[in-house]
């Protein structure tokens, strides 16, 4: 509780405890707000806890303490890392070409509120981006995105958001056969138990929290696969790569598909998948988008 003073015999003394008469007895109660009447109007002079500003957890693994008077955390946005895209492939008289598969996106959270304990240590893991495939284009696999998660030293596991998995191209050779283009997949969400209603001591109704990427309170779910690459018939034919999987329920686009003889697959952003590379001169795939975790602390009345 913040410091509070009363005047006693001409001197101010700090008050360590408040007791109020409740019915017929005095009980020790938590004071969330104090108001005084000033010139006919009530104004607030004390709030047990003011909602903090938003902060981003750093990349990799970081730890931070819950403020002593907080009892909840608002996750405005969090997502696992997106997978990379698979490069395109060209052949020597194999009678076709191959476009690359787009990467899968990470599982996500948008505006969910979880209970935590004041003073405990939270450990956040933010998933890295999956890398585009490299090396032999006839048998190659794109990198998968990393896990994003949050856990507390006393609360335990709060949520876990899997990164997207990369697709692959297998079984091909420079003079044939054409490779098989295998799908990517979206990350799996373990959302944990969040609050469905509540009001903070400074007057915020948590159901009004809609500033995250999904624009919906208490949203979250799995990621999605990118578009699987395809083969085209005829030597020197042209086929684009696959689009990367979108993240945050379609609100953040995946990487753009690579175009033969032109541009590589586009990189993903904030958990979306990288685009696959185009066939013919085998343009490269794009890297996936890194995960993220944005939060602030609250006290629910």
């Amino acid at each position: 509780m913040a410091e509070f003073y009363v005047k006693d015999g001409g001197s101010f003394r700090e008050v360590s405890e408040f007791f109020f008469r409740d019915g017929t007895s005095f009980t020790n109660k938590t004071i969330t707000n104090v108001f005084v009447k000033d010139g006919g109007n009530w104004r607030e002079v004390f709030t047990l806890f003011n909602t903090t500003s938003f902060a981003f957890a750093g990349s990799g693994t970081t730890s931070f303490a819950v403020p002593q008077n907080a009892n909840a955390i608002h996750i405005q946005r969090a997502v696992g890392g997106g997978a990379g895209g698979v490069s395109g492939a060209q052949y020597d008289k194999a009678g076709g070409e191959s476009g690359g598969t787009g990467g899968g996106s990470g599982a996500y959270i948008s505006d969910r509120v979880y209970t935590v304990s004041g003073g405990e240590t939270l450990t956040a893991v933010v998933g890295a981006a999956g890398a585009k495939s490299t090396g032999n284009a006839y048998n190659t696999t794109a990198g998968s995105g990393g896990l994003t998660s949050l856990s507390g030293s006393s609360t335990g596991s709060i949520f876990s958001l899997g990164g997207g998995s990369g697709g692959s191209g297998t079984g091909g050779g420079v003079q044939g056969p054409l490779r098989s283009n295998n799908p990517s997949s979206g990350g799996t969400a373990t959302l944990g138990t969040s609050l469905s209603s509540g009001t903070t001591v400074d007057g915020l109704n948590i159901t009004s929290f809609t500033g995250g990427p999904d624009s919906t309170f208490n949203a979250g779910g799995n990621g999605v696969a990118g578009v699987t690459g395809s083969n085209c018939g005829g030597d020197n034919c042209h086929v684009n790569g696959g689009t990367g999987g979108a993240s945050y329920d379609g609100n953040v686009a995946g990487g753009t598909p690579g175009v033969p003889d032109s541009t590589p697959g586009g990189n993903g952003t904030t958990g979306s998948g990288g685009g696959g590379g185009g066939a013919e001169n085998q343009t490269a795939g794009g890297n996936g988008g890194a995960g993220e975790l944005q939060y602030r602390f609250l006290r629910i009345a």
Side-chain angles (χ1 to χ4, degrees):
M1 181 178 290
E3 294 178 348
F4 191 78
Y5 295 84
V6 296
K7 198 167 189 179
D8 179 25
S11 300
F12 281 96
R13 294 192 299 124
E14 184 177 0
V15 177
S16 60
E17 293 181 291
F18 287 102
F19 292 89
F20 286 85
R21 191 176 182 89
D22 183 16
T24 59
S25 62
F26 286 92
T27 57
N28 191 0
K29 286 179 172 279
T30 300
I31 307 303
T32 58
N33 303 81
V34 177
F35 294 81
V36 297
K37 202 165 189 178
D38 179 21
N41 297 312
W42 289 99
R43 62 185 180 87
E44 187 177 41
V45 296
F46 167 78
T47 298
L48 179 62
F49 187 82
N50 287 309
T51 299
T52 65
S53 57
F54 284 109
F56 276 97
S59 59
T61 300
T62 57
S63 295
F64 44 91
V66 178
Q68 286 292 337
N69 286 332
N71 62 8
I73 187 170
H74 171 202
I75 307 300
Q76 186 173 60
R77 53 194 300 149
V79 66
V86 178
S87 64
Q90 65 175 359
Y91 302 83
D92 179 13
K93 300 180 180 179
E97 313 290 351
S98 297
T101 295
S105 62
Y108 76 98
I109 277 173
S110 182
D111 288 309
R112 293 175 75 91
V113 177
Y114 295 91
T115 297
V116 293
S117 297
E120 73 170 316
T121 298
L122 300 184
T123 299
V125 178
V126 176
K132 61 188 177 184
S133 71
T134 58
N136 182 349
Y138 309 113
N139 288 277
T140 187
T141 300
S144 295
L147 174 80
T148 293
S149 64
L150 185 67
S151 60
S153 56
S154 59
T155 301
S157 178
I158 298 172
F159 63 79
S160 177
L161 306 172
S165 295
S168 64
T170 57
V174 64
Q175 295 194 36
L178 300 183
R179 73 183 188 190
S180 296
N181 295 297
N182 304 308
S184 59
S185 61
T188 300
T190 302
L191 297 175
T193 302
S194 60
L195 300 176
S196 60
S197 63
T199 302
T200 68
V201 294
D202 48 348
L204 302 177
N205 186 331
I206 67 172
T207 62
S208 69
F209 296 166
T210 57
D214 197 59
S215 302
T216 304
F217 172 64
N218 217 21
N222 298 332
V224 298
V227 175
T228 302
S230 59
N231 297 329
C232 61
D235 193 30
N236 299 322
C237 62
H238 286 64
V239 60
N240 292 344
T243 304
S247 61
Y248 286 114
D249 197 26
N251 287 286
V252 177
T256 53
V259 179
D261 295 326
S262 179
T263 55
N267 295 329
T269 57
T270 53
S272 68
E280 184 58 18
N281 291 333
Q282 52 194 53
T283 58
N287 295 316
E292 63 177 356
L293 196 167
Q294 185 183 38
Y295 65 94
R296 63 178 175 176
F297 291 109
L298 322 167
R299 183 176 180 89
I300 305 298

